[in-house]
Amino acid sequence: MVALSRKAGEGTRDEKQLRALLDALPMSLLLVDRQGVVRYANHRAAALFDHARDSMAGTAVATLLPDATGECWSQTVRTKPADGHDRCHDATALRGGGALFPVELLFNTVQLDGTLYVVIAVNDLTEQRRAEKELAFERESMAHMSRVTLIGEISGSMAHELNQPLAAILSNAQAGLRILRRDPGDVTEIREILQDIVDNDQRAGEVISRLRGLLRRECRSFGTLTVNDLVHDAIRIIRNDLINRGVEYRLDLAVPFSRIHGDAVQLQQVLLNLIINACDAMADSPRRVLTVRTDTLVTGTIHIEVRDTGPGIAVDRLETIFAPFHTTKPNGMGMGLAICRTLLRAHGGDIHAGNLPEGGGCFRIELPLLE
């Protein structure tokens, strides 16, 4: 079998046929001995590694595949031929010019002339990784655009919530000036006014911080989150909008200390989308009640439900509403629920739609709980 490493034109007819067969295969193949030395490389392998084909025989495989001599290699050389193969998903390869690139390696063994060799199939993942990055970028871009649209929908609520502490700050400052003009020695009342100003300033800062958080365009930042805190934060953002729409909200949070691993901004975006959709669904309803509830009826999973008292969801639309560009709103983009599902699946969860027995629609979020 070592004869395969000889120059073209040499070797027996069988060897030439075997060499032609290996060169015709649509994959990059290396034949390596137990000492980790390349004995043969087909045309695709030579092109992939940017080496002259004749120079590859005798090369240490570790100089081409730094990750090839690890655990997968050790397991492979201990197996018998046809005992199966080992796969190394996240490996790195080195081209002749010194450039690193991602590969997937498939190991198997073959016995030729009484000698055991390792066959390594090398799959270049450069284009796949580039496509994955582009897809992740597009997903983040769509999620960001959805958040910007969301901010537009609740801008009135945010402005009203911000206006209240700012008005209180102005009123307290004016009161303090009047007291100073009347009685500069009244320190106690001035201290109370200053404390009110500090409290209202902090409240305004929290509103602005939530707004900036929703508008930021960054990669996901996962951390440990308390589910009930997520719900309360979403309600704080949308509370004044609920009041303006005449919507009563109820919270039934049965699992106060349940925690999940996720990105707070993206999960908040999901909740706000569902709450706004629920409000829109109840626009013509005489009774407008929004209910957000949580439960852990399934082990290892927390459910967050957003319920409304609207007309419900048509049965034939229960799944199609999650499809991109599917909308019933006159000015809707049809991306809100599609992005919600994408974000939740990136968190290892999912979302489903249904109707309540008493009437109204219900969206049920599923997320894995932290132990």
Side-chain angles (χ1 to χ4, degrees), residues 251-312:
L251 301 182
D252 180 13
L253 309 180
V255 281
F257 304 112
S258 294
R259 299 182 304 160
I260 57 175
H261 186 65
D263 181 283
V265 171
Q266 291 191 349
L267 293 178
Q268 206 173 79
Q269 176 183 353
V270 171
L271 287 172
L272 288 170
N273 264 311
L274 297 181
I275 291 170
I276 288 173
N277 286 349
C279 291
D280 290 341
M282 296 185 289
D284 298 323
S285 299
R287 179 171 172 265
R288 303 171 190 172
V289 179
L290 169 81
T291 303
V292 182
R293 64 184 303 272
T294 58
D295 68 64
T296 52
L297 298 179
V298 177
T299 304
T301 301
I302 187 162
H303 296 143
I304 307 172
E305 291 185 351
V306 178
R307 301 180 171 192
D308 63 61
T309 54

Side-chain angles (χ1 to χ4, degrees), residues 72 87-92 102-105 123 125 129:
C72 285
R87 188 184 301 269
C88 182
H89 292 281
D90 298 310
T92 302
V103 293
E104 178 186 50
L105 305 178
N123 181 24
L125 300 180
R129 294 286 187 264

Side-chain angles (χ1 to χ4, degrees), residues 133-143:
K133 287 181 180 179
E134 287 184 357
L135 182 62
F137 178 78
E138 292 298 328
R139 184 172 59 240
E140 293 295 335
S141 296
M142 289 301 296

